[in-house]
Structures are given as structure tokens and as C-alpha cells.
Amino acid sequence: MSHTPRFLPLLLAFCMFSTGASGLVNEYVLATITTYILGNSIEQFSIVIASMMLMMGVSGFVQSKMSDRFLLQKFIGVEVLMALLGAFAPLAIYAAFGYMNEHFTLVLFFFILSIGFLIGFEIPLVMRIIDAQNIQLKTNLTIVYAMDYIGAFVGAIIWVKFLLLNFPLTEISFIVAGFNFFIAAIAILYFLKQRIIQSPVIILLIIISTACVLIAGYFNNRELNNLLEQRFYDDPIVFKTTSKYQHIVITENKKTDDTRLYINGNTQFSSLDEVRYHDFLVHPAMSLSPRRSNILVLGGGDGLALRELNKYKDIQSITLVDLDPEMIKIASTNSSLVKLNNNAFANAKVSLTQPDLHNEGFKQAVYQRSGSGESPEKVASISVYNLDAEHFLRNVKDVTFDVIIIDLPDPSSVELSKLYSKQFYKSLRRHLTPGGFVAIQSTSPFHAKPAYLAIGATLSASGFTVLPYRQNIPSFGDWGFYLAWYSDTTPNNVRSQIKYISEFDVETQFITPELLVASLAFGKGELDAKEICINTMMKPCLLQAYTRQSWLVE
């Protein structure tokens, strides 16, 4: 036993490294899966991580009341339980949400609190094992804690740069649990070799059994994941992937010929009625704008708004900005989406890396067809940039657009809420040609009235004149939009212009001049509220209006 102290601290330090790495990734996995199911990423990450840290503190107190007997056996028990709970947590949470919706929260917090409790047990147990083995605690305490923090840092980097990009959450959990258990198993085998653990046969059986369960779970997790995730959707899943930014699912109902796109579980469109939405998003602004040479689309990575814009032969350049390159890839290659968007990205120049938005090259790319004398029958130049819309606007200098189409998801998170803020709209105004129009999807005036009114009020506070309009989209219900501009033209004058539209300049699939006029009508009190917030980056009141006061009535 005299040589034990020379190797044991190093072994336990590696245990702390794996604990730090796997513990943090476990927190991220649970927070991410909760976000996918419940939405509002900042809130869910905050609650999940805070709850796990609470239980880490509780477990530290509880272990202080435990005796020093069977410390190694307790260490083994903690590692086995944490491996099994951590590995199967995403599958169990998916199953709970799909099969026992009323008790889903109980299951969710059972795993969050239990795993947090076990993570908090590890470091104190290791400290006590070190002390029990007569290793100088003062010498090794710094190393153990340092390895835990270093492990957490390395785990975060691996999570962002590798795991999240290449594996589903249900597989990440098995990879992380397997890694942590492997390191712990080496330590346990070392203890067995030193004959300092009783009942070695039982311990070996526990290790082997746990390893077999983890291996079986790993190789079957995707099939189980597919089976469980299907419970979230009415129609069969035909495609799904998780990008760095979101979870994307496509379903198809062959009987009704209905293709649907979901992001983080939220419906983005149904092929049965998406033309209603995109007709009303694109064609009113395009019909009213006196010029439409250069068009900017923020969002719209599915290519459906781009499909409508491609009908206009007088457009010279279209710039589309969507954060997620995976969405552009899917819209460009998935047969169902390519069919729906009429291969809208076929002629697009896609920049998968951030462009230099400050130089003249970008402005030339936007205006490359201006004054070229080319036939107006030729397809517009299309440039796609995968970066944040706010970052794009902030960094583009001296470039304006005749029409701006904003097809962003609803403001269900802080990240999205900033794209509906006063600061964002002020930046947007600087890039709109005088006399040009902005069309903004603005959630539901009925189901999300406080949010809808907040968007309009924030636009007005940013210097825009606004005109609200609406259309029924069967997949979503009553849906709202805003037209915005900053010339002296009043809403009544724009209403008059709309009434004089006898036909659209391009062939539309749904919208008619009569429907556009009708879309301006709201009932008594529908645009009234006692208090309407102005959304800013530092005070994202729109997020609260949307998450707390919306969709209470389906």
C-alpha cells in the first residue's frame, strides 16, 4: 500500500476532470432538451442549471452527515447511478412528455434534481477518499478542484464545437455518461487491485452490468429516440437534424399531401396553406414600393419567401440573411422543400462564412446588376449570408434596400426578442430606401394580442409609420403582419393605394386585391390595450408578453 499515494491522486484528479466535463455537459443536455420542449431558452437554461446547482449544494451538506465507512462503495454507487440517470434522462424526458403529459414536469425535475445531487456528491467523496488514504489533503486539494474546473471548460468546448453539431441529444447523453463511467471504472478497478474494496465479485458484476446497459442504450438510442419523438407530431417524421442553433424536423402526410417544417417543436409552415402566409408577407410590400431593385430578406431560410420574390423580373439583387447554414442546406437539397420553394436557392451565392460587410465588395455584390443593361428577364442575383440579422445590419455600411421582408420566428426567446427591439428597428430604418417598405411577420393579433401590439408600438417608437394587416392561416389561425415605412405618407394614403391595386404584377397563388383590402379590417377594440410595451434590448418586455400572455386560448 505504500505506493498507493503516488498514483491515486493522479487517478482521482482524472476522475474530477471527467466529472467536471460530464457534469457541465449533462446540465447543457437537460437545459437544451427542456428548451426544445418548453421553449424560452434563457429561462429554461437558468432554471435547469440553478436547480442542479441547488442540489449540488444540498448533496454537499448531506454527505457531511454520512459516516466514513464504505466510502469507496459509496463512490461506486454514485458513479453507477449518475451514469444510468444521465444516459437515459433525455429518452425518459421525451417519453414522459409524449405519454404522460400531465406529469411531465415531475419526471423532468426528478432527473434534473437527481443528477445535480449526484454531481455534488462526487467532489466531497473524492476529498474524503483522499483523506482516508492518508494523502496530504493540502497538497492535492488545489489539483482536484483545478481538474474539475478545467474539465468543465473542456466539456463546454467539446459540447459547442463537436457534440451538439454531430449527435442527437439522446446520443450525447450516452457518450458523456460512458466517458465519465469509464474513468470511474478505471479508478474502481485500481481499488480492487489494491484490495481495499470488499466484495470484489459483486463490484465487478455491477461494473459489467452498468457497462452493458450503457452500451445497449447507446446502440439503440436513435431508434428509441425516433419512436418517442414521433409522439410529438401528428404525421410521420421524414427528416430531422439538430444544428448548432436549433432542432429541425420535417413531417409528411401522404394522404393529405401535407409537408410541415418544425423548429424546436414549433410549426414553421404547412404546405397546405403556406402560400397564404407568404403571399401576404411578400406581395403587399412589393406592390406598394416605388422601387424594388434591391431586396433584403431577414430569416426565410426555408426559401418560400424567396420563391415569391423570384417571380419579380425587375429585381436586380436579393440578399437573404439567415443564421443557420443547416437550414439553407436543407432548403437547397431536401426534395420536399426544394419542390415547395421551387428550387429558390438554385442560383444563390451562399456564404457559409461571415463576409466582410465593411468593404466595397459587399456593396458591389448587392448592386452588381444595377445599371448593367442586362435583360430584365434574367434571374436576380441572390446572395445568402449565414449570420445574425442584428449583426448584419449593424455592420453593413452605406447600403440600402428598396424592400425589406422580415420572416423571423416569433419572439419566444431573448435571442429572437432582440430582433423585434427598438434598437434593431432603428438600425433597420437606416438601411431602407426612402419610400421603401418593410413587411414584418408579427405573430397573431388574436392569440398573441399583447405581443402583436408591442411589435407595432416598437416600430412606431423607432420612427416608422405602420399599417397592421391580417390573414387567416388555417395551420396557425388568425395571423398578423405590419407594413412599415418612414416617408411622409400616412396610413390612410397607403390604404388608398392598396384600394387602387387592381391586380398584382406577378402571378399569385392565393392573395387577391380584394383580400388585401379586407386584411386591413380589424374589429372594435382589437388594436386597443390598456398598456402596450416598447421592446428594447435591455428591457425585452415583448418576450414576457409573448411567453406569458399569448396562446392562452387555442
Side-chain angles (χ1 to χ4, degrees):
M1 291 286 294
S2 60
H3 63 286
T4 300
R6 291 201 301 269
F7 183 71
L8 187 57
L10 181 62
L11 184 59
L12 293 176
F14 273 112
C15 285
M16 286 300 93
F17 176 86
S18 67
T19 295
S22 62
L24 191 68
V25 175
N26 270 324
E27 293 176 13
Y28 289 161
V29 167
L30 291 172
T32 302
I33 196 171
T34 307
T35 296
Y36 285 168
I37 294 173
L38 300 178
N40 196 352
S41 61
I42 298 297
E43 179 178 327
Q44 302 310 329
F45 264 79
S46 301
I47 291 173
V48 169
I49 292 176
S51 298
M52 295 183 77
M53 292 185 70
L54 169 66
M55 294 309 296
M56 290 166 66
V58 170
S59 65
F61 175 78
V62 171
Q63 68 80 31
S64 68
K65 304 299 180 181
M66 296 172 59
S67 70
D68 288 335
R69 297 183 62 195
F70 308 117
L71 287 176
L72 294 174
Q73 287 85 341
K74 292 170 184 174
F75 175 76
I76 294 167
V78 167
E79 295 302 322
V80 168
L81 282 174
M82 194 163 70
L84 295 175
L85 288 176
F88 286 94
L91 288 172
I93 291 169
Y94 264 136
F97 188 73
Y99 290 91
M100 45 187 296
N101 211 346
E102 292 183 2
H103 304 291
F104 159 71
T105 304
L106 293 177
V107 175
L108 173 66
F109 276 94
F110 166 77
F111 282 98
I112 291 172
L113 299 178
S114 297
I115 293 173
F117 186 85
L118 292 171
I119 291 173
F121 239 96
E122 284 185 294
I123 290 181
L125 271 179
V126 169
M127 293 291 98
R128 293 174 67 171
I129 290 170
I130 287 175
D131 187 57
Q133 296 300 313
N134 297 318
I135 303 170
Q136 290 186 358
L137 188 61
K138 182 179 178 180
T139 304
N140 295 281
L141 185 62
T142 301
I143 296 176
V144 170
Y145 274 106
M147 291 299 285
D148 180 66
Y149 296 141
I150 292 170
F153 172 77
V154 172
I157 298 300
I158 293 174
W159 158 260
V160 171
K161 299 295 185 181
F162 178 68
L163 293 175
L164 193 59
L165 298 179
N166 295 286
F167 303 97
L169 291 176
T170 52
E171 195 159 306
I172 293 173
S173 64
F174 280 99
I175 293 171
V176 171
F179 168 74
N180 192 48
F181 184 72
F182 175 74
I183 300 298
I186 292 175
I188 294 166
L189 292 173
Y190 176 81
F191 296 143
L192 289 174
K193 183 179 179 181
Q194 298 301 315
R195 302 181 185 278
I196 54 178
I197 300 182
Q198 299 176 359
S199 307
V201 175
I202 295 175
I203 299 300
L204 281 173
L205 286 174
I206 291 173
I207 293 174
I208 294 170
S209 299
T210 303
C212 289
V213 171
L214 292 176
I215 291 170
Y218 173 81
F219 283 106
N220 291 281
N221 82 88
R222 295 203 179 197
E223 183 178 348
L224 290 169
N225 181 34
N226 291 338
L227 179 65
L228 293 172
E229 189 167 12
Q230 184 61 68
R231 293 280 300 184
F232 290 89
Y233 305 97
D234 295 328
D235 300 324
I237 296 173
V238 295
F239 176 87
K240 66 175 182 176
T241 188
T242 300
S243 73
K244 180 180 179 180
Y245 303 102
Q246 55 201 357
H247 185 58
I248 303 168
V249 172
I250 299 174
T251 66
E252 284 187 1
N253 186 323
K254 295 189 180 298
K255 290 184 178 179
T256 59
D257 195 27
D258 184 9
T259 298
R260 297 196 178 211
L261 174 69
Y262 298 85
I263 292 180
N264 294 346
N266 299 313
T267 305
Q268 302 304 299
F269 70 75
S270 163
S271 62
L272 297 181
D273 56 23
E274 58 83 12
V275 295
R276 299 182 179 216
Y277 171 90
H278 291 100
D279 272 10
F280 272 82
L281 177 67
V282 171
H283 298 302
M286 292 296 290
S287 298
L288 291 168
S289 182
R291 291 177 299 276
R292 52 194 186 200
S293 296
N294 305 304
I295 312 300
L296 174 64
V297 181
L298 301 179
D302 52 33
L304 298 175
L306 185 57
R307 175 198 65 203
E308 297 304 312
L309 289 171
N310 281 339
K311 296 177 180 179
Y312 292 87
K313 302 305 180 184
D314 53 341
I315 294 177
Q316 295 169 348
S317 68
I318 301 172
T319 302
L320 187 145
V321 180
D322 192 283
L323 179 63
D324 194 350
E326 189 65 26
M327 189 67 251
I328 303 299
K329 178 182 175 182
I330 295 167
S332 305
T333 58
N334 181 274
S335 58
S336 298
L337 293 197
V338 169
K339 180 180 178 182
L340 282 173
N341 65 34
N342 197 25
N343 204 11
F345 291 102
N347 298 303
K349 179 182 178 183
V350 180
S351 174
L352 295 178
T353 57
Q354 182 172 317
D356 183 358
L357 303 178
H358 297 278
N359 66 18
E360 289 297 318
F362 175 77
K363 286 184 278 186
Q364 291 170 8
V366 172
Y367 295 113
Q368 61 187 315
R369 289 176 56 84
S370 298
S372 64
E374 296 185 46
S375 169
E377 296 300 318
K378 291 190 176 181
V379 177
S381 167
I382 302 171
S383 299
V384 178
Y385 295 101
N386 294 125
L387 66 160
D388 179 75
E390 186 270 335
H391 179 79
F392 176 87
L393 292 177
R394 180 162 35 91
N395 287 277
V396 174
K397 304 298 182 183
D398 302 323
V399 176
T400 59
F401 301 90
D402 302 321
V403 176
I404 301 175
I405 306 295
I406 301 183
D407 190 16
L408 296 166
D410 282 0
S412 58
S413 67
V414 169
E415 301 92 333
L416 289 169
S417 180
K418 75 170 185 177
L419 302 180
Y420 293 81
S421 68
K422 184 177 179 180
Q423 292 87 344
F424 180 79
Y425 289 146
K426 282 190 171 183
S427 180
L428 189 74
R429 181 180 168 180
R430 290 194 293 270
H431 296 288
L432 181 65
T433 302
F437 280 83
V438 183
I440 307 168
Q441 90 78 14
S442 305
T443 195
S444 172
F446 177 75
H447 297 290
K449 179 180 176 179
Y452 180 75
L453 296 180
I455 293 170
T458 304
L459 282 164
S460 297
S462 306
F464 283 104
T465 303
V466 299
L467 180 66
Y469 64 111
R470 69 188 329 163
Q471 176 58 33
N472 178 53
I473 314 294
S475 297
F476 300 98
D478 184 27
W479 207 257
F481 308 84
Y482 282 100
L483 284 171
W485 63 95
Y486 71 92
S487 67
D488 294 332
T489 307
T490 66
N492 285 335
N493 287 336
V494 172
R495 288 175 184 271
S496 297
Q497 292 180 47
I498 289 174
K499 290 179 180 178
Y500 282 111
I501 295 175
S502 59
E503 62 180 358
F504 292 100
D505 296 334
V506 298
E507 183 179 351
T508 61
Q509 299 181 68
F510 178 75
I511 194 171
T512 65
E514 294 79 13
L515 275 177
L516 178 56
V517 172
S519 73
L520 303 177
F522 286 81
K524 288 184 178 180
E526 285 195 289
L527 296 178
D528 297 333
K530 292 182 179 179
E531 185 177 346
I532 303 175
C533 79
I534 306 298
N535 189 51
T536 66
M537 287 188 179
M538 293 297 102
K539 187 180 179 182
C541 58
L542 175 61
L543 176 62
Q544 297 301 317
Y546 185 83
T547 58
R548 304 297 186 190
Q549 304 175 50
S550 302
W551 307 103
L552 301 178
V553 178
E554 294 290 344

